[in-house]
Amino acid sequence: MTHLARAVALVLAVSLIACGRPEGESSEAGTPAVATEALVESFGTGTLIIPMGNNYQDSGVLRAYGLVYALLRAGVPVRWSIAAGKASGGTDFTVAAPASVRNLESGATVAVPATYRGGPFIVDAASRAAALPIVNAWLAADAVTVVHDVTGTFSSNTMRTLSAAPRIAVFQDGNEAIAFTDLNAAGIPDSAGNVWSATSPDLLTEAEIAGPTTTSHTDGALLRADGTPAYCQLTSMHYAATASTPEIVQEVRAWLDSSRITHAFMECEAALTFENASAGRFLTTTGLNGSEPAVNTPVLNNFPDDPFTQFDGTITPDGGSIQSIDPLAAFQSYARVLLRDGAGDVLWATARLNGDANNGQVTYLGGHNYGTAVPVSANPQTNGLRLLLDSLFESDCASAVGLANVALVKSAPATSTASTLTFTLTYSNTGAGAADAVVLRDAVPAGTTFASATGGGTLSAGVVTWNLGNLRPGASGTVSFTVNVGADAVIANTASMAYRTETTARTTSSNTTSTTVDRTAPDTVIASAEPSPTSDPTGDFAFTSPDATASFECSVDGGAFTACPAAFSTASLADGPHTLAVRAVDAAGNVDPTPATAAWTVDRTAPDTVIASAEPSPTSDPTGDFAFTSPDAT
């Protein structure tokens, strides 16, 4: 392809890409450019800024990425501030008076207004306490990284809130030492927390990526047995095709198809090898041209506000076997050309697999080895290394959109009269990423002893533990355990779950359950009763119990026990003898086994009167003498 033809084609492509791009999306056929927040936030006193522009971080910019990685590894969230719609080299935000800025390490005052560019990182004041031990330890061991401490308020555009440190795999492609040098220069460790070397656990050989068979394309080291990705990012610096390449590319394709959090970074010859394999065509329709000329300066940034392209100053392209990412025919409609020169030669391009927002990304960089020389203003080729580091944090696995979202809910009865008590724990992952190495723990409550557990739970040192493995997106489950209850008591309990997202360790706790165990039956006292006999056809009673939680059940004349109030009146009763039985029932459901009783008689019939003897008349007795009787003996 001639320079003129390439330039015309690229101008057309860029015009299509750039026109009307919705916030957070590219314009190509609905393919997200990057999951962004594009949220203007205000920050207050105590906020920390990690500058990324040459004005403040000229010599420390590579190490600044490592500090961000360390913060994420410790679970401290970091905002990535990028001004939406900014021009190439433009300012991302400014801190102006009356706010003030100081260098955290030296205490020196930074003049305001202080302008920040190149995609600076921000630690909100709310995370300061968690961040400071990590930041201070980093600065104590590192002589070049700059961190600013702000007093006062300022605003910036949060393009992404980073939440996890990506797990990186390096392909042992014969040039893995370049990746080691790049990552170690930034201070980004392997998953064991060590510097990258030939013994790093995340250095993957051809055989490990290809897996044991060529019939299954999901049996290599990039995917776990449950189909979840074992790594967020695969980095290959210069991979020349071998007999194993077809299967390796198939495995990478399956890995990219497994989740949106996956990202394949290919540099130099690796881009050609992966793209031109029969299972390739990730970015182009017919493959890459392996003999295209070098990208010339100045390098043009098509998307200055994209996390993929955050650097300050200029980039000097590197040489190598693949110096430009130029297609034999055309890019896929959903591919994005990020950096190019004026002639249309492409330095940096990306696409999601098949243009599907739910798939992972492939990113190609021309040039062989960008080096780690600083200051960057005097070594603009080092900005090529910044592109690799940008891609780590651009990956969905680094932000909430690609993380696990784990919930743990615990249930137990509010009251119990039994000698055993069962706790039920329900867990779920509604996020886009897997929760790795999930361990669920629940301490046996005081006053109880372990009886049994479902789901493989085991008891050790008073704690029931379930090793649940990896919890894939959409997965859920339920386990339970039962304890024997000693004395009556209120038993409170909370469970916890530990897991890992990428290389970041996390924990979550359940709600706290509270169960009142009460196996003592309440006593019943009739405080007042209907006198007997009585002409009142309704019996009036009052009941109490030493158990303040008790309610009452009544039985009149041998009828069924039904709920009755503490001040109780019977229905209108017939004349004759009657009985009442009342029993207390406590909040746990215990029933007084010996109800209290009362008996009385209702009598509403007027008695007859008989004069049995009377004073004779006339009589000389000055006193009248009489005797009376009645058929009613009462």
Side-chain angles (χ1 to χ4, degrees):
M1 183 184 295
T2 67
H3 277 191
L4 177 60
R6 185 184 302 112
V8 171
L10 190 59
V11 168
L12 289 173
V14 170
S15 67
L16 288 173
I17 290 171
C19 294
R21 178 163 62 105
E23 187 173 274
E25 292 188 358
S26 72
S27 62
E28 301 90 5
T31 304
V34 61
T36 62
E37 297 173 40
L39 172 67
V40 175
E41 291 188 279
S42 293
F43 297 93
T45 296
T47 296
L48 302 176
I49 299 172
I50 303 174
M52 297 302 287
N54 296 343
N55 54 338
Y56 299 123
Q57 201 74 274
D58 202 7
S59 294
V61 69
L62 300 182
R63 301 291 296 176
Y65 285 102
L67 173 56
V68 171
Y69 194 91
L71 289 166
L72 296 177
R73 192 177 173 93
V76 178
V78 179
R79 267 79 161 184
W80 199 352
S81 178
I82 303 170
K86 71 175 179 179
S88 183
T91 297
D92 290 302
F93 66 89
T94 300
V95 178
S100 60
V101 181
R102 70 180 183 95
N103 184 300
L104 183 66
E105 184 176 22
S106 67
T109 299
V110 177
V112 294
T115 59
Y116 296 88
R117 56 183 186 265
F121 298 99
I122 296 174
V123 178
D124 183 72
S127 300
R128 180 185 180 91
L132 273 180
I134 300 157
V135 172
N136 288 335
W138 186 274
L139 296 179
D142 185 272
V144 293
T145 310
V146 173
V147 177
H148 286 173
D149 192 4
V150 178
T151 299
T153 61
F154 68 97
S155 297
S156 75
N157 185 73
T158 297
M159 192 65 76
R160 273 199 164 190
T161 298
L162 304 177
S163 305
R167 187 173 184 189
I168 307 161
V170 172
F171 186 10
Q172 192 175 10
D173 56 12
N175 288 270
E176 61 275 6
I178 299 174
F180 293 169
T181 299
D182 291 348
L183 294 169
N184 290 336
I188 294 175
D190 62 22
S191 64
N194 301 319
V195 296
W196 285 88
S197 70
T199 61
S200 288
D202 311 303
L203 178 62
L204 303 183
T205 65
E206 277 195 311
E208 288 171 325
I209 293 177
T213 73
T214 58
T215 53
S216 169
H217 305 317
T218 60
D219 58 357
L222 295 177
L223 287 169
R224 303 187 184 97
D226 63 1
T228 57
Y231 295 91
C232 167
Q233 176 129 340
L234 172 65
T235 300
S236 180
M237 306 308 288
H238 185 107
Y239 176 45
T242 70
S244 300
T245 297
E247 178 57 24
I248 285 174
V249 177
Q250 290 276 23
E251 292 276 345
V252 170
R253 177 172 280 275
W255 172 68
L256 292 166
D257 193 44
S258 71
S259 172
R260 66 177 295 166
I261 73 170
T262 54
H263 188 179
F265 172 90
M266 310 300 178
E267 188 168 312
C268 198
E269 187 75 17
L272 180 71
T273 299
F274 276 87
E275 184 64 22
N276 288 9
S278 58
R281 307 296 188 269
F282 298 114
L283 268 66
T284 71
T285 57
T286 57
L288 293 178
N289 188 332
S291 59
E292 289 291 333
V295 176
N296 298 310
T297 55
V299 174
L300 306 178
N301 190 343
N302 288 339
F303 298 96
D305 61 351
D306 194 309
F308 264 127
T309 59
Q310 294 311 296
F311 59 91
D312 191 21
T314 62
I315 289 181
T316 299
D318 189 27
S321 59
I322 300 298
Q323 301 179 67
S324 57
I325 308 300
D326 291 331
L328 283 167
F331 283 105
Q332 300 281 8
S333 61
Y334 45 80
R336 291 190 304 131
V337 173
L338 300 167
L339 301 178
R340 61 177 176 84
D341 65 13
D345 292 300
V346 177
L347 181 65
W348 183 226
T350 189
R352 286 197 181 268
L353 179 66
N354 301 327
D356 187 338
N358 294 312
N359 289 340
Q361 300 180 90
V362 179
T363 307
Y364 294 152
L365 179 63
H368 182 65
N369 183 357
Y370 281 87
T372 61
V374 291
V376 176
S377 60
N379 298 277
Q381 196 168 85
T382 301
N383 270 333
L385 172 51
R386 282 198 65 173
L387 301 178
L388 165 61
L389 301 176
D390 284 338
S391 76
L392 288 177
F393 298 137
E394 192 282 340
S395 298
D396 282 348
C397 66
S399 62
V401 69
L403 297 184
N405 183 20
V406 174
L408 179 60
V409 178
K410 183 167 188 175
S411 62
T415 59
S416 175
T417 61
S419 60
T420 62
L421 177 61
T422 297
F423 300 97
T424 300
L425 299 107
T426 300
Y427 54 87
S428 62
N429 176 17
T430 59
D436 301 337
V438 179
V439 179
L440 176 58
R441 296 183 176 91
D442 202 338
V444 175
T448 70
T449 58
F450 176 77
S452 63
T454 66
T458 59
L459 177 70
S460 177
V463 177
V464 186
T465 300
W466 293 264
N467 291 302
L468 301 177
N470 299 320
L471 193 59
R472 63 180 301 125
S476 62
T478 300
V479 295
S480 64
F481 77 102
T482 300
V483 295
N484 298 312
V485 180
D488 289 0
V490 176
I491 299 175
N493 194 250
T494 306
S496 66
M497 180 178 282
Y499 61 100
R500 193 183 69 244
T501 54
E502 297 303 312
T503 63
T504 302
R506 300 187 185 281
T507 59
T508 188
S509 296
S510 73
N511 55 298
T512 299
T513 60
S514 180
T515 302
T516 300
V517 177
D518 182 357
R519 291 163 295 184
T520 303
D523 289 329
T524 310
V525 177
I526 298 177
S528 64
E530 184 71 27
S532 182
T534 179
S535 61
D536 186 352
T538 60
D540 298 314
F541 300 86
F543 317 128
T544 63
S545 173
D547 189 329
T549 71
S551 59
F552 300 95
E553 294 178 343
C554 296
S555 168
V556 178
D557 294 336
F561 279 95
T562 58
C564 57
F568 173 67
S569 295
T570 69
S572 181
L573 301 174
D575 286 8
H578 297 281
T579 58
L580 171 75
V582 57
R583 62 190 186 189
V585 181
D586 67 19
N590 297 297
V591 179
D592 186 350
T594 55
T597 59
W600 77 106
T601 299
V602 175
D603 183 357
R604 291 170 293 180
T605 303
D608 289 332
T609 308
V610 177
I611 298 176
S613 64
E615 184 72 26
S617 178
T619 179
S620 61
D621 188 349
T623 61
D625 298 315
F626 298 86
F628 314 124
T629 65
S630 174
D632 188 330
T634 68

